[in-house]
Amino acid sequence: MDFQLTDEQQMIRQAARDFAQTELLSGVIARDESQSFPPELIQKMGNLGFLGMMVDPKYGGSGLDTLSYVLTMEELSKIDASASVIVSVNNSLVCWGLEAFGSEAQKEKYLSRLSTGDSLGAFCLSEPEAGSDATSQKTTAIEKGDHYILNGTKNWITNGNSADTYLVIAQTHPEKGHHGINVFIVEKGMEGFKIGPKENKLGIRGSDTHSLLFNDVKVPGENRIGEDGSGFRFAMKTLAGGRIGIAAQALGIAAGAYELAKKYAKERKSFGTEICNHQAIAFKLADMHTQIEAARYLVYKAAWDKDQGKNYDLSGAMAKLYASQVAMDTTVEAVQIHGGNGFVKDYHVERMMRDAKITQIYEGTNQIQRVVIGRKLLK
Ligand code: CAA
């Protein structure tokens, strides 16, 4: 076993760390409050290659491995989980899905813009009545010669308004169940495509989440990705990789909150000494650090599986399940260690606690991760 990162991986981690410190930290509280994320900041992440990290350089990507992507996600998430979810959705769900399943023409037209930040992507699977039960899609795309007519509603879509390229999953043959599902590239501005109001969220408030409404949207046949009926497999395989990205986000939130709590515990005094000298606090830090290290190895192992061409459905689900629990537990403890200051926005940890919660919900709730893990183990 080799626990050493390569020079290149260390360099990428440092670049992400520097970017988070210099570009993300100063405005993170304001973005959380105003529920906004400046497009220029997204473009800067694109310029640094953070938006198409694993994409082949011939399509404008950085051509890096999954571990480098995970390290980047971890560093960005230590400071701003809203920035990292933008990165995660664009990399894991949109770019990866297009590169793995798209045609050459689709890659040339869309991927090179998506991987550089000239364009931003959204992944549209969830519906008002199809969240965990993802096969129950009600959105339809009915074939009419050389195009499809798309009708339906998608919910809780990350990058809902800031995106301009949407991968929309829809039923083309409802009678065939999940074998009658396809995925389409839909562009912002297509007639009949409307973006609903922005959701007012508990956490990751900088990233925009919207419902999307499709009313007789005419989508060219050439915008269907992959073979007819392959949309559900596309969604499942893409989400399996996406879960590694969200696991890395959870790891980063946990690690960021732990670092702040440790620093605070070494500065804040009570009963005549720094509070880290009280076992009540030192034991919390010991547990937090141990759990974060355990989460880190699950996340890196899932990334390694993917890079080795091994199946990562199980390791990705385990990484997300565990890391998101660690993110929740660690951020709650970080608030506790900060005491009254933990409840105040300036100290960051209350935001991190709010941000952590979504990692247990999106890209498959923790209950769904247990379904995936259980089925893999028992099959
Ligand atoms: N890779 C490839 N194919 C897969 C797969 C995988 N990892 N997992 C399942 N499939 C295939 C199966 O082989 C099966 O195909 P066949 O019938 O041809 O064999 C098909 O998919 C259906 O599989 P299941 O019978 O297991 O389906 P199910 O109805 O029991 O559901 C589930 C399985 C795991 C619960 C799935 O519905 C699921 O993952 N639900 C959660 C959905 C989810 O993660 N949503 C997140 C929304 S996106 C988001 O949050 C993004 C964001 O904005 C941040």
Side-chain angles (χ1 to χ4, degrees), residues 126 132 135 158 178-179 232 236 239 243 313 362-364 375:
S126 303
S132 292
T135 54
T158 304
H178 67 261
H179 292 294
F232 195 71
M236 289 297 107
L239 274 169
R243 287 166 185 164
D313 295 353
Y362 58 20
E363 301 204 18
R375 284 184 184 175

Side-chain angles (χ1 to χ4, degrees), residues 85 89 93 123 125-126 131-135 156-158 178-179 232-233 236-237 239-240 243 246 313 361-365 368-369 371-372 375-376:
V85 73
V89 166
L93 301 186
F123 180 85
L125 174 68
S126 303
S132 292
D133 183 7
T135 54
W156 312 295
I157 303 304
T158 304
H178 67 261
H179 292 294
F232 195 71
R233 202 178 133 256
M236 289 297 107
K237 201 67 226 166
L239 274 169
R243 287 166 185 164
I246 298 303
D313 295 353
I361 298 174
Y362 58 20
E363 301 204 18
T365 62
I368 290 298
Q369 304 313 321
V371 169
V372 172
R375 284 184 184 175
K376 285 275 166 198

Side-chain angles (χ1 to χ4, degrees), residues 28-35 80-82 200-207 249 253-254 257 324 327-335 342-362:
V28 65
I29 295 172
R31 291 192 294 276
D32 174 68
E33 288 193 344
S34 64
Q35 297 200 78
D80 185 355
S82 293
N200 187 0
K201 296 177 296 186
L202 172 75
I204 56 161
R205 287 165 59 84
S207 96
Q249 180 187 46
I253 296 171
S324 62
M328 205 61 248
D329 295 347
T330 304
T331 52
V332 168
E333 289 294 44
V335 170
F343 214 61
V344 172
K345 288 187 187 288
D346 293 351
Y347 284 81
H348 297 284
V349 285
E350 65 79 33
R351 185 190 70 256
M352 294 169 129
M353 186 180 83
R354 290 186 282 106
D355 287 349
K357 186 60 202 168
I358 192 61
T359 65
Q360 297 186 307
I361 298 174
Y362 58 20

Side-chain angles (χ1 to χ4, degrees), residues 303-323:
W304 183 83
D305 280 347
K306 188 158 177 285
D307 288 333
Q308 297 300 311
K310 294 174 185 286
N311 189 297
Y312 48 89
D313 295 353
L314 176 63
S315 53
M318 291 197 306
K320 181 178 178 300
L321 173 66
Y322 187 73

Side-chain angles (χ1 to χ4, degrees), residues 134-156:
T135 54
S136 298
Q137 299 286 304
K138 298 276 189 300
T139 298
T140 54
I142 303 304
E143 197 169 2
K144 300 269 180 200
D146 64 350
H147 63 272
Y148 288 81
I149 297 293
L150 186 64
N151 276 291
T153 304
K154 294 289 174 183
N155 264 31
W156 312 295

